[in-house]
Amino acid sequence: MDSNHDCFMQMALEEALRAQAMEEVPVGAVLVDASGRVLAGGHNETISRCDPTAHAEILALRGAARRIGNYRLLASAIYVTVEPCVMCMGAIIHARVGRVVYGAPDPKWGALGSIYDFARDNRLNHRPEIVSGVLADRCRRLMVDFFARKR
């Protein structure tokens, strides 16, 4: 999977653009299995679903779990355009996702070092591998431009 980080992050960016087209915060996620098969994708839909849990990562986790018939997503990787929040990292850890790959850090909500660092907390029973900064400029620019238009 390592050689495909850019490819999978590009897919996550395409998901983020779907969110943006819906006037949702443009965050996208793609979850892949150990062989590199895409299991599910998702983008933020909190506004359109009136659901505070409808983050890109949560929707991707739900779709992948349904697809394989198991909530444990062992040896999988989730690609996310922005550093996951506390809620999403909690779900990622519960699902036993093996790797989290993200683009841009999130200084206001990030749970992989920006505010909290769930991946390094030895009190938790699962600690995924973390890869940060994949297509970071493009991921960051999408968020910056979105919020600039909103203000």
Side-chain angles (χ1 to χ4, degrees):
M1 277 190 287
D2 293 343
S3 63
N4 294 316
H5 286 333
D6 287 357
C7 176
F8 291 128
M9 189 60 74
Q10 180 57 44
M11 290 179 190
L13 278 162
E14 290 167 12
E15 287 286 348
L17 291 171
R18 289 184 184 98
Q20 180 177 267
M22 299 168 62
E23 293 298 316
E24 299 271 2
V25 176
V27 178
V30 173
L31 201 136
V32 301
D33 68 13
S35 67
R37 178 178 58 141
V38 175
L39 297 176
H43 53 273
N44 277 1
E45 296 185 49
T46 56
I47 298 165
S48 58
R49 291 185 184 219
C50 297
D51 179 356
T53 70
H55 288 199
E57 301 95 320
I58 300 296
L59 298 176
L61 289 166
R62 288 175 184 164
R66 272 193 306 272
R67 182 165 180 187
I68 68 167
N70 192 337
Y71 79 97
R72 292 207 172 178
L73 302 167
L74 304 170
S76 65
I78 189 164
Y79 290 79
V80 189
T81 56
V82 176
E83 178 183 2
C85 71
V86 170
M87 174 184 69
C88 292
M89 274 311 300
I92 287 166
I93 289 167
H94 279 290
R96 310 297 194 277
V97 172
R99 179 183 296 152
V100 179
V101 181
Y102 70 91
D106 187 344
K108 293 186 178 185
W109 293 97
L112 287 176
S114 290
I115 295 179
Y116 300 100
D117 197 345
F118 279 29
R120 289 197 176 111
D121 191 329
N122 291 327
R123 296 169 295 180
L124 300 174
N125 65 344
H126 176 71
R127 286 176 298 285
E129 175 190 349
I130 307 303
V131 178
S132 62
V134 176
L135 302 183
D137 291 339
R138 291 174 62 196
C139 294
R140 182 185 163 285
R141 177 61 34 209
L142 188 61
M143 294 292 282
V144 167
D145 290 350
F146 176 80
F147 284 110
R149 282 192 303 277
K150 290 289 184 187
R151 294 183 174 105

